[in-house]
Amino acid sequence: MKNRQLDSALGLDARTGPLALIGKVVLHGLLVLVFAGPLLALLVSAFSPVSDPTRLTLLPTDFTLANFRAAFDRDVLRYLLNSFLVVGGGLLLQVGVSISAGYALARKRFPGMRLVLLLILSTMMLPEEVLAIPLSLVLSDLSLIGSLWGMIVPVGAWAFSILVTAEFMKEIPLELEEAARLDGAGDLRIFWSVVLPLCKPALGVIGIFGFTMIWDQYMLPLLVATDAKQFTLPLALRTLRADEQVGVGVLLASALLALLPSVLAFLAMQRQFMRGLTSGAVKG
Amino acid sequence: MWLRPSAGWARGRLTPWLFLAPALVLFALFKFLPMWRAVEMSFHEVRPYLGDRWVGGANYQQVVTDEAFLSAIGHTLVLAVGQTGGSVLLGLALALVLEGTARRLWIVRTAVFLPTVTAMAVVAEVWRILYYPAADGIANSLLAWVGVGPSQFLNSPDSALWSVMTVGVWRGAPYDMMIFLAALAGVDRTLYEAAAADGAGVWRRVWHVTLPALRPAFVILLTLAAIRSLRVFTEIFLLTNGGPNGSTEVLMTLIYRLGLERGELGVAAAGSMVLLGVSVLLTLLVGLSRRGRTGKAVT
């Protein structure tokens, strides 16, 4: 007979009875309150009339869109659009670069391959924060300062995405490729119609990770933006907070807009996210 | 016609490089070129329009002797240790409590994970509101419930670093939880049965079976988290910007200030190199110790 008590380390899940049930509900409720509570409070408060900067509320009071109206008056739509342009462009570039490089690493053998792999791995040790100062000089040499392109192009190559794609492409049977080659298909054709359609799950993983990573970017936009016109939404929060004339409501509404896309993307693609999380963590 | 064979040969040889080219160009421009310039700058006094002047190790000397740098290094280490340890321990606790297959557990796990996918800038603004230093601020109201006096949180040099650390743990623990959960799923259930047959209770089971199985996850998480917190920037920049009174100044905020606000690019670059050196060293050390351990396990 199978003992459910032994399904998990603590066996909490299997314990039944009214006392255990109450204990679990209380504990889980507390955890949700501690971790998701502040974000839920942000959600509710953004739709409530706020005057007092000390208050976030979990309980809806009078529903109002005034905070969002005030936020749109402060150009928040432009910041949101900038964020979407950066994340869209950056992600498109990153996916393209990753599948292309991943294909070469996974399906080709060529002299210098180990060196290339080593170079790509080493970039994981060169965090953007540490290279921020010289990076800003390079960006200025390339005339990328003061333009959204400066936030898009540098996020195009990301070692994690390349490695995940390559790992995934290695699993695709070589026979498929050979069959296509016998049919007279060239590299580009094999890449496009044989390998790519089979690595949709990998695209999901790098897509969701790329999205959250680019959305979370702070240092790069900070280096690149020379004018509020180029601010991404996360960057703009700091100025909106400092704006004492408008009050905390604008900040709440804008913060909610900055929170939603990444959280929604995560909720929609949870399974891919978990897969990437474990593979990314294991491979460093 | 005579071009044909050689073009074909070249194409075969070139193909992988063509596919790799975009990635290599971007890495060269945005990783290796800045890296090279950082090394170069760290040995120079950088003077725009006047030409740089070679100063040897003077920048490095300033980094390791300057009081501002020393205290920033201190804060960075305190933060790295506290944040790493805190989130790994809390993450483990969360994983143990939330392990299981029930749908309710899955929902709770998802809710708990939300801070990790929320942009740091948003997290910082939310916590600034929570930390509002008046007696009726939210965090202070909660403290009052458990009978602790109101705190200034981010506004006082005594509590600012701890307050920042709390935010880091809050955002980092759920990530660690997910890694631990993945590792827990791989634990051999027959070992639990064997332990139960030997009369071991829950705690002995956790201590002798679960924790040893989690060792690789511990190593990975400790390294990743330590390296990440060494280069912490955004939360400090947004929560305290190094203040009050320099009590939360970390290496990255100091480097940013020196390089981009005061134009001391050489010293800033030297600081970056020190930081980079420490994180690479840490990575290699852990990598070596892991290799040593698995090597021993095999032989």
Side-chain angles (χ1 to χ4, degrees), chain B residues 137-219:
Chain B
I138 297 163
N140 269 330
S141 308
L142 290 176
L143 283 186
W145 276 4
V146 289
V148 185
S151 166
Q152 288 288 303
F153 296 111
L154 301 169
N155 287 13
S156 150
D158 298 326
S159 53
L161 198 58
W162 301 105
S163 307
V164 172
M165 201 185 285
T166 307
V167 179
V169 171
W170 180 78
R171 191 167 187 250
Y175 175 87
D176 294 3
M177 168 189 81
M178 284 299 179
I179 306 292
F180 278 128
L181 281 170
L184 283 172
V187 175
D188 187 354
R189 307 289 140 175
T190 56
L191 289 177
Y192 286 165
E193 280 166 35
D198 288 344
V202 171
W203 292 113
R204 301 195 52 176
R205 182 163 85 215
V206 170
W207 186 254
H208 291 291
V209 181
T210 314
L211 287 185
L214 292 181
R215 193 181 284 160
F218 269 109
V219 176

Coordinates of all heavy atoms in Angstrom, one line a residue, chain B residues 137-219:
Chain B
G137 N 2.3 54.4 9.1 CA 2.8 53.8 7.9 C 2.4 52.3 8.0 O 2.2 51.8 9.1
I138 N 2.4 51.6 6.9 CA 1.9 50.2 6.9 C 2.8 49.3 7.7 O 2.3 48.5 8.6 CB 1.7 49.7 5.5 CG1 0.6 50.5 4.8 CG2 1.3 48.2 5.5 CD1 0.6 50.4 3.3
A139 N 4.1 49.3 7.3 CA 5.0 48.4 8.0 C 5.0 48.8 9.5 O 5.1 47.9 10.4 CB 6.4 48.6 7.5
N140 N 5.0 50.1 9.9 CA 5.0 50.5 11.3 C 3.7 50.0 12.0 O 3.7 49.7 13.2 CB 5.1 52.0 11.4 CG 6.6 52.3 11.5 OD1 7.4 51.6 12.0 ND2 7.0 53.5 11.0
S141 N 2.6 50.0 11.3 CA 1.3 49.6 11.9 C 1.5 48.1 12.3 O 1.0 47.6 13.3 CB 0.1 49.7 11.0 OG 0.1 51.1 10.5
L142 N 2.1 47.3 11.3 CA 2.3 45.9 11.6 C 3.2 45.7 12.8 O 3.0 44.8 13.6 CB 2.8 45.2 10.4 CG 1.9 45.1 9.2 CD1 2.6 44.4 8.0 CD2 0.6 44.2 9.6
L143 N 4.3 46.5 12.8 CA 5.2 46.4 13.9 C 4.5 46.7 15.3 O 4.8 46.0 16.3 CB 6.4 47.4 13.7 CG 7.5 47.0 12.7 CD1 8.6 48.0 12.8 CD2 8.0 45.6 13.0
A144 N 3.6 47.7 15.2 CA 2.9 48.0 16.4 C 2.1 46.9 17.0 O 2.0 46.7 18.2 CB 2.0 49.3 16.2
W145 N 1.5 46.1 16.1 CA 0.7 44.9 16.5 C 1.5 44.0 17.3 O 1.0 43.4 18.3 CB 0.2 44.1 15.2 CG -1.0 44.7 14.7 CD1 -1.7 45.8 15.1 CD2 -1.7 44.1 13.6 NE1 -2.8 46.0 14.3 CE2 -2.9 45.0 13.4 CE3 -1.6 43.0 12.7 CZ2 -3.8 44.7 12.4 CZ3 -2.5 42.8 11.8 CH2 -3.6 43.6 11.6
V146 N 2.8 43.8 16.9 CA 3.6 42.8 17.7 C 4.4 43.6 18.8 O 5.3 43.1 19.4 CB 4.6 42.1 16.8 CG1 3.9 41.0 16.0 CG2 5.4 43.0 15.9
G147 N 4.0 44.9 19.0 CA 4.6 45.6 20.1 C 6.0 46.2 19.9 O 6.7 46.4 20.9
V148 N 6.4 46.4 18.7 CA 7.7 47.0 18.4 C 7.4 48.4 18.0 O 6.5 48.7 17.2 CB 8.5 46.2 17.4 CG1 9.9 46.8 17.2 CG2 8.5 44.7 17.7
G149 N 8.3 49.3 18.5 CA 8.1 50.7 18.2 C 8.2 51.1 16.8 O 8.8 50.3 16.0
P150 N 7.7 52.3 16.4 CA 7.9 52.7 15.0 C 9.3 52.8 14.6 O 10.2 53.2 15.4 CB 7.1 54.0 15.0 CG 7.1 54.5 16.4 CD 7.1 53.3 17.2
S151 N 9.6 52.4 13.3 CA 10.9 52.5 12.8 C 11.0 53.5 11.7 O 10.0 53.8 11.0 CB 11.4 51.1 12.3 OG 12.5 51.3 11.5
Q152 N 12.1 54.1 11.5 CA 12.3 55.0 10.4 C 12.6 54.3 9.1 O 12.7 54.9 8.0 CB 13.5 56.0 10.7 CG 13.1 57.0 11.8 CD 12.2 58.0 11.2 OE1 12.5 58.7 10.2 NE2 11.0 58.2 11.9
F153 N 12.9 53.0 9.2 CA 13.2 52.2 8.0 C 14.3 52.8 7.1 O 15.4 53.0 7.6 CB 11.9 51.8 7.2 CG 10.9 51.0 8.0 CD1 9.7 51.5 8.4 CD2 11.3 49.7 8.3 CE1 8.8 50.8 9.1 CE2 10.4 48.9 9.0 CZ 9.2 49.5 9.4
L154 N 13.9 53.2 5.9 CA 14.9 53.7 4.9 C 15.5 55.0 5.3 O 16.5 55.4 4.8 CB 14.2 53.8 3.5 CG 13.6 52.5 3.0 CD1 12.8 52.8 1.8 CD2 14.7 51.5 2.6
N155 N 14.8 55.7 6.2 CA 15.3 57.1 6.5 C 16.3 57.1 7.6 O 16.9 58.2 7.9 CB 14.1 57.9 6.9 CG 13.2 58.3 5.7 OD1 13.4 57.6 4.7 ND2 12.3 59.2 5.9
S156 N 16.6 56.0 8.3 CA 17.6 56.1 9.4 C 18.8 55.3 9.0 O 18.7 54.1 8.5 CB 17.0 55.6 10.7 OG 18.0 55.1 11.5
P157 N 20.0 55.8 9.3 CA 21.2 55.0 9.0 C 21.3 53.7 9.7 O 21.9 52.7 9.3 CB 22.4 55.9 9.4 CG 21.8 57.3 9.5 CD 20.3 57.1 9.8
D158 N 20.5 53.6 10.8 CA 20.6 52.3 11.6 C 19.8 51.2 10.9 O 20.1 50.0 11.1 CB 20.0 52.5 13.0 CG 20.9 53.5 13.8 OD1 22.1 53.6 13.5 OD2 20.3 54.3 14.6
S159 N 18.7 51.6 10.3 CA 17.8 50.5 9.8 C 17.8 50.4 8.3 O 17.2 49.5 7.7 CB 16.4 50.8 10.3 OG 16.0 52.1 10.0
A160 N 18.4 51.4 7.6 CA 18.2 51.4 6.1 C 18.7 50.2 5.4 O 18.0 49.6 4.6 CB 18.9 52.7 5.5
L161 N 19.9 49.7 5.8 CA 20.5 48.5 5.2 C 19.7 47.3 5.4 O 19.4 46.5 4.5 CB 21.9 48.3 5.7 CG 22.8 47.4 4.8 CD1 22.9 48.0 3.4 CD2 24.2 47.3 5.4
W162 N 19.1 47.2 6.6 CA 18.3 46.0 6.9 C 17.0 46.1 6.2 O 16.5 45.1 5.7 CB 18.0 46.0 8.5 CG 19.2 45.9 9.3 CD1 19.8 46.9 10.0 CD2 20.1 44.7 9.4 NE1 21.0 46.4 10.5 CE2 21.2 45.1 10.2 CE3 20.0 43.4 8.9 CZ2 22.2 44.2 10.5 CZ3 21.1 42.5 9.2 CH2 22.1 42.9 10.0
S163 N 16.5 47.3 6.0 CA 15.2 47.4 5.3 C 15.4 47.0 3.8 O 14.6 46.4 3.2 CB 14.7 48.9 5.3 OG 14.6 49.3 6.7
V164 N 16.5 47.4 3.2 CA 16.8 47.1 1.8 C 17.0 45.5 1.7 O 16.5 44.9 0.8 CB 18.1 47.8 1.3 CG1 18.5 47.2 0.0 CG2 17.9 49.3 1.3
M165 N 17.7 45.0 2.7 CA 17.9 43.5 2.7 C 16.6 42.8 2.8 O 16.4 41.8 2.1 CB 18.7 43.2 4.0 CG 19.5 41.9 3.9 SD 20.3 41.5 5.4 CE 21.7 42.6 5.3
T166 N 15.6 43.3 3.6 CA 14.3 42.6 3.7 C 13.7 42.6 2.3 O 13.1 41.5 1.9 CB 13.4 43.4 4.7 OG1 14.1 43.5 5.9 CG2 12.1 42.7 4.9
V167 N 13.7 43.7 1.6 CA 13.1 43.7 0.3 C 13.8 42.7 -0.6 O 13.1 41.9 -1.4 CB 13.2 45.1 -0.4 CG1 12.6 45.1 -1.8 CG2 12.5 46.1 0.5
G168 N 15.1 42.6 -0.6 CA 15.9 41.6 -1.4 C 15.5 40.2 -1.0 O 15.3 39.4 -1.9
V169 N 15.3 39.9 0.2 CA 14.9 38.5 0.6 C 13.5 38.2 0.2 O 13.2 37.2 -0.4 CB 15.0 38.4 2.2 CG1 14.4 37.1 2.6 CG2 16.5 38.5 2.6
W170 N 12.6 39.2 0.3 CA 11.2 39.1 -0.1 C 11.1 38.7 -1.6 O 10.4 37.9 -2.0 CB 10.5 40.4 0.2 CG 9.0 40.4 -0.2 CD1 8.0 39.8 0.5 CD2 8.4 41.1 -1.3 NE1 6.8 40.1 -0.1 CE2 7.0 40.8 -1.2 CE3 8.9 41.8 -2.4 CZ2 6.1 41.3 -2.2 CZ3 8.1 42.3 -3.3 CH2 6.7 42.1 -3.2
R171 N 12.0 39.4 -2.4 CA 11.9 39.2 -3.8 C 12.7 37.9 -4.2 O 12.4 37.3 -5.2 CB 12.5 40.4 -4.6 CG 12.2 40.3 -6.1 CD 12.4 41.6 -6.7 NE 12.0 41.7 -8.1 CZ 12.9 41.7 -9.1 NH1 14.1 41.7 -8.9 NH2 12.4 41.7 -10.4
G172 N 13.8 37.6 -3.5 CA 14.6 36.5 -3.9 C 14.2 35.1 -3.4 O 14.4 34.1 -4.1
A173 N 13.5 35.1 -2.2 CA 13.1 33.8 -1.6 C 12.2 33.0 -2.6 O 12.4 31.7 -2.7 CB 12.5 34.0 -0.3
P174 N 11.2 33.6 -3.2 CA 10.3 32.7 -4.1 C 11.1 32.1 -5.2 O 10.8 31.0 -5.6 CB 9.3 33.8 -4.6 CG 9.3 34.8 -3.6 CD 10.7 34.9 -3.1
Y175 N 12.1 32.8 -5.8 CA 12.9 32.2 -6.8 C 13.6 31.0 -6.3 O 13.6 29.9 -6.9 CB 13.9 33.3 -7.3 CG 14.9 32.7 -8.3 CD1 14.6 32.7 -9.7 CD2 16.2 32.2 -7.9 CE1 15.5 32.2 -10.6 CE2 17.0 31.7 -8.9 CZ 16.7 31.7 -10.2 OH 17.6 31.2 -11.1
D176 N 14.3 31.1 -5.1 CA 14.9 30.0 -4.5 C 14.0 28.8 -4.2 O 14.3 27.7 -4.4 CB 15.6 30.4 -3.2 CG 16.8 31.4 -3.5 OD1 16.9 31.8 -4.7 OD2 17.5 31.8 -2.6
M177 N 12.8 29.2 -3.8 CA 11.7 28.2 -3.5 C 11.5 27.3 -4.8 O 11.4 26.1 -4.7 CB 10.4 28.9 -3.1 CG 9.2 28.0 -3.1 SD 7.7 28.8 -2.9 CE 7.3 29.4 -4.5
M178 N 11.4 28.0 -5.9 CA 11.1 27.2 -7.2 C 12.2 26.3 -7.5 O 12.0 25.1 -7.9 CB 10.9 28.2 -8.3 CG 9.5 28.9 -8.3 SD 8.1 27.7 -8.4 CE 6.7 28.8 -8.3
I179 N 13.5 26.7 -7.3 CA 14.6 25.8 -7.6 C 14.6 24.6 -6.6 O 14.7 23.5 -7.0 CB 15.9 26.6 -7.5 CG1 15.9 27.8 -8.4 CG2 17.1 25.7 -7.8 CD1 15.9 27.5 -9.8
F180 N 14.3 24.9 -5.3 CA 14.2 23.9 -4.3 C 13.1 22.9 -4.7 O 13.2 21.7 -4.5 CB 14.0 24.4 -2.9 CG 15.3 24.9 -2.3 CD1 15.4 26.2 -1.8 CD2 16.4 24.1 -2.2 CE1 16.6 26.6 -1.2 CE2 17.6 24.5 -1.7 CZ 17.7 25.8 -1.1
L181 N 12.0 23.4 -5.1 CA 10.8 22.6 -5.4 C 11.2 21.6 -6.6 O 10.9 20.4 -6.5 CB 9.6 23.4 -5.8 CG 8.8 24.0 -4.7 CD1 7.8 25.0 -5.2 CD2 8.1 22.9 -3.9
A182 N 11.9 22.2 -7.6 CA 12.3 21.3 -8.7 C 13.2 20.2 -8.2 O 13.2 19.1 -8.6 CB 13.0 22.1 -9.7
A183 N 14.1 20.6 -7.2 CA 15.1 19.6 -6.7 C 14.3 18.6 -5.8 O 14.6 17.4 -5.9 CB 16.2 20.3 -5.9
L184 N 13.3 19.0 -5.1 CA 12.6 18.1 -4.2 C 11.8 17.1 -5.0 O 11.6 15.9 -4.6 CB 11.6 18.9 -3.4 CG 12.1 19.7 -2.2 CD1 11.1 20.6 -1.5 CD2 12.7 18.7 -1.1
A185 N 11.3 17.5 -6.2 CA 10.6 16.6 -7.1 C 11.5 15.4 -7.5 O 11.0 14.4 -7.8 CB 10.1 17.3 -8.3
G186 N 12.8 15.7 -7.5 CA 13.7 14.6 -7.9 C 14.2 13.7 -6.8 O 15.0 12.8 -7.1
V187 N 13.7 13.9 -5.6 CA 14.2 13.1 -4.5 C 13.5 11.7 -4.6 O 12.3 11.6 -4.8 CB 13.8 13.7 -3.1 CG1 14.2 12.8 -2.0 CG2 14.5 15.0 -3.0
D188 N 14.3 10.7 -4.5 CA 13.8 9.3 -4.6 C 12.9 9.0 -3.4 O 13.3 8.9 -2.3 CB 15.0 8.4 -4.6 CG 14.6 6.9 -4.9 OD1 13.4 6.7 -5.0 OD2 15.5 6.1 -5.1
R189 N 11.6 8.7 -3.8 CA 10.6 8.4 -2.7 C 10.9 7.1 -2.0 O 10.4 7.0 -0.8 CB 9.2 8.4 -3.3 CG 8.8 9.5 -4.1 CD 8.6 10.8 -3.3 NE 9.1 11.9 -4.1 CZ 9.0 13.2 -3.7 NH1 8.5 13.5 -2.6 NH2 9.5 14.1 -4.5
T190 N 11.5 6.2 -2.6 CA 11.8 5.0 -1.9 C 12.7 5.2 -0.7 O 12.6 4.4 0.3 CB 12.4 3.9 -2.9 OG1 13.6 4.5 -3.4 CG2 11.5 3.5 -4.0
L191 N 13.5 6.2 -0.8 CA 14.4 6.6 0.3 C 13.5 7.0 1.5 O 13.8 6.6 2.7 CB 15.4 7.7 0.0 CG 16.5 7.3 -1.0 CD1 17.3 8.5 -1.3 CD2 17.3 6.2 -0.4
Y192 N 12.4 7.7 1.2 CA 11.5 8.1 2.3 C 10.9 6.8 3.0 O 10.8 6.7 4.2 CB 10.4 9.0 1.8 CG 10.8 10.4 1.5 CD1 10.0 11.2 0.7 CD2 12.0 10.9 1.9 CE1 10.4 12.5 0.4 CE2 12.4 12.2 1.6 CZ 11.6 13.0 0.8 OH 11.9 14.3 0.5
E193 N 10.5 5.9 2.1 CA 9.9 4.7 2.6 C 10.9 3.9 3.4 O 10.6 3.4 4.5 CB 9.4 3.8 1.4 CG 8.1 4.3 0.9 CD 7.7 3.7 -0.4 OE1 8.1 2.5 -0.6 OE2 7.1 4.4 -1.3
A194 N 12.1 3.8 2.9 CA 13.2 3.1 3.7 C 13.4 3.8 5.0 O 13.5 3.1 6.1 CB 14.5 3.1 2.9
A195 N 13.4 5.1 5.0 CA 13.6 5.9 6.3 C 12.5 5.6 7.2 O 12.7 5.4 8.4 CB 13.8 7.4 6.0
A196 N 11.3 5.6 6.7 CA 10.1 5.3 7.5 C 10.1 3.9 8.1 O 9.8 3.7 9.3 CB 8.8 5.5 6.7
A197 N 10.6 3.0 7.3 CA 10.7 1.6 7.7 C 11.7 1.5 8.9 O 11.6 0.7 9.8 CB 11.1 0.7 6.6
D198 N 12.7 2.3 8.8 CA 13.7 2.3 9.9 C 13.3 3.1 11.1 O 14.0 3.3 12.1 CB 15.1 3.0 9.4 CG 15.8 2.0 8.4 OD1 15.4 0.8 8.4 OD2 16.7 2.5 7.7
G199 N 12.0 3.6 11.0 CA 11.5 4.3 12.2 C 11.8 5.8 12.3 O 11.7 6.3 13.4
A200 N 12.3 6.4 11.2 CA 12.6 7.8 11.3 C 11.4 8.7 11.2 O 10.5 8.4 10.4 CB 13.6 8.1 10.1
G201 N 11.3 9.7 12.0 CA 10.2 10.6 11.9 C 10.5 11.7 10.9 O 11.5 11.6 10.1
V202 N 9.5 12.6 10.8 CA 9.6 13.6 9.7 C 10.9 14.4 9.8 O 11.6 14.6 8.7 CB 8.4 14.6 9.8 CG1 8.6 15.8 8.9 CG2 7.1 13.9 9.5
W203 N 11.3 14.8 10.9 CA 12.5 15.7 11.0 C 13.8 14.9 10.6 O 14.7 15.5 10.0 CB 12.6 16.3 12.4 CG 11.5 17.3 12.6 CD1 10.5 17.2 13.5 CD2 11.3 18.5 11.8 NE1 9.6 18.2 13.3 CE2 10.1 19.0 12.3 CE3 12.0 19.1 10.8 CZ2 9.6 20.2 11.8 CZ3 11.4 20.3 10.2 CH2 10.2 20.8 10.7
R204 N 13.9 13.7 11.1 CA 15.1 12.9 10.7 C 15.1 12.6 9.2 O 16.1 12.6 8.6 CB 15.1 11.6 11.5 CG 15.1 11.9 13.0 CD 15.5 10.7 13.8 NE 16.8 10.1 13.3 CZ 17.4 9.1 13.8 NH1 16.9 8.5 14.9 NH2 18.5 8.6 13.3
R205 N 13.9 12.4 8.7 CA 13.8 12.2 7.2 C 14.3 13.4 6.5 O 15.1 13.3 5.6 CB 12.3 12.0 6.9 CG 12.1 11.7 5.4 CD 10.7 11.1 5.3 NE 9.6 12.0 5.1 CZ 8.4 11.9 5.6 NH1 8.1 10.8 6.3 NH2 7.5 12.8 5.4
V206 N 13.9 14.6 6.9 CA 14.3 15.8 6.2 C 15.8 16.0 6.4 O 16.5 16.2 5.4 CB 13.6 17.1 6.8 CG1 14.3 18.3 6.3 CG2 12.1 17.0 6.5
W207 N 16.3 15.7 7.6 CA 17.7 15.9 7.9 C 18.6 14.9 7.1 O 19.7 15.3 6.6 CB 18.0 15.9 9.4 CG 19.4 16.2 9.8 CD1 20.4 15.4 10.2 CD2 19.9 17.5 9.8 NE1 21.5 16.1 10.4 CE2 21.3 17.4 10.2 CE3 19.4 18.8 9.4 CZ2 22.1 18.5 10.3 CZ3 20.3 19.9 9.5 CH2 21.6 19.8 10.0
H208 N 18.2 13.7 7.1 CA 19.1 12.7 6.5 C 18.9 12.3 5.1 O 19.7 11.8 4.4 CB 19.0 11.4 7.4 CG 19.6 11.5 8.7 ND1 21.0 11.7 9.0 CD2 19.0 11.6 10.0 CE1 21.2 11.8 10.2 NE2 20.0 11.8 10.9
V209 N 17.7 12.6 4.6 CA 17.4 12.2 3.2 C 17.2 13.5 2.3 O 17.9 13.6 1.3 CB 16.1 11.3 3.1 CG1 15.8 11.0 1.7 CG2 16.2 10.1 4.0
T210 N 16.3 14.4 2.8 CA 16.0 15.5 1.9 C 17.1 16.5 1.7 O 17.5 16.8 0.6 CB 14.7 16.2 2.4 OG1 13.7 15.3 2.8 CG2 14.2 17.2 1.4
L211 N 17.7 16.9 2.8 CA 18.7 17.9 2.7 C 19.9 17.5 2.0 O 20.4 18.2 1.1 CB 19.1 18.4 4.1 CG 18.1 19.3 4.8 CD1 18.6 19.9 6.1 CD2 17.7 20.5 3.9
P212 N 20.4 16.3 2.2 CA 21.6 15.8 1.3 C 21.2 15.8 -0.1 O 22.0 16.2 -1.0 CB 21.8 14.4 1.8 CG 21.3 14.4 3.2 CD 20.1 15.3 3.3
A213 N 19.9 15.5 -0.5 CA 19.6 15.4 -1.9 C 19.5 16.8 -2.5 O 19.6 17.0 -3.7 CB 18.2 14.8 -2.0
L214 N 19.3 17.8 -1.6 CA 19.2 19.2 -2.1 C 20.6 19.9 -2.2 O 20.6 21.1 -2.6 CB 18.4 20.0 -1.1 CG 16.9 19.7 -1.1 CD1 16.2 20.6 -0.1 CD2 16.3 19.8 -2.4
R215 N 21.7 19.2 -1.9 CA 22.9 19.9 -1.9 C 23.3 20.6 -3.2 O 23.7 21.7 -3.1 CB 24.0 18.9 -1.5 CG 25.3 19.6 -1.1 CD 26.4 18.6 -0.8 NE 26.3 18.1 0.6 CZ 26.9 16.9 0.9 NH1 27.6 16.3 0.1 NH2 26.7 16.5 2.2
P216 N 23.1 19.9 -4.3 CA 23.5 20.6 -5.6 C 22.7 21.9 -5.7 O 23.2 23.0 -6.1 CB 23.1 19.6 -6.7 CG 23.0 18.3 -6.0 CD 22.6 18.6 -4.6
A217 N 21.4 21.9 -5.3 CA 20.6 23.1 -5.5 C 21.1 24.2 -4.5 O 21.2 25.4 -4.9 CB 19.1 22.8 -5.1
F218 N 21.5 23.8 -3.3 CA 22.1 24.8 -2.4 C 23.3 25.5 -3.1 O 23.4 26.7 -3.0 CB 22.6 24.1 -1.1 CG 21.6 24.1 -0.1 CD1 21.0 22.9 0.3 CD2 21.2 25.2 0.6 CE1 20.0 22.8 1.3 CE2 20.2 25.2 1.6 CZ 19.6 24.0 1.9
V219 N 24.2 24.7 -3.6 CA 25.4 25.2 -4.2 C 25.1 26.2 -5.3 O 25.6 27.3 -5.3 CB 26.3 24.1 -4.7 CG1 27.6 24.7 -5.4 CG2 26.7 23.2 -3.6

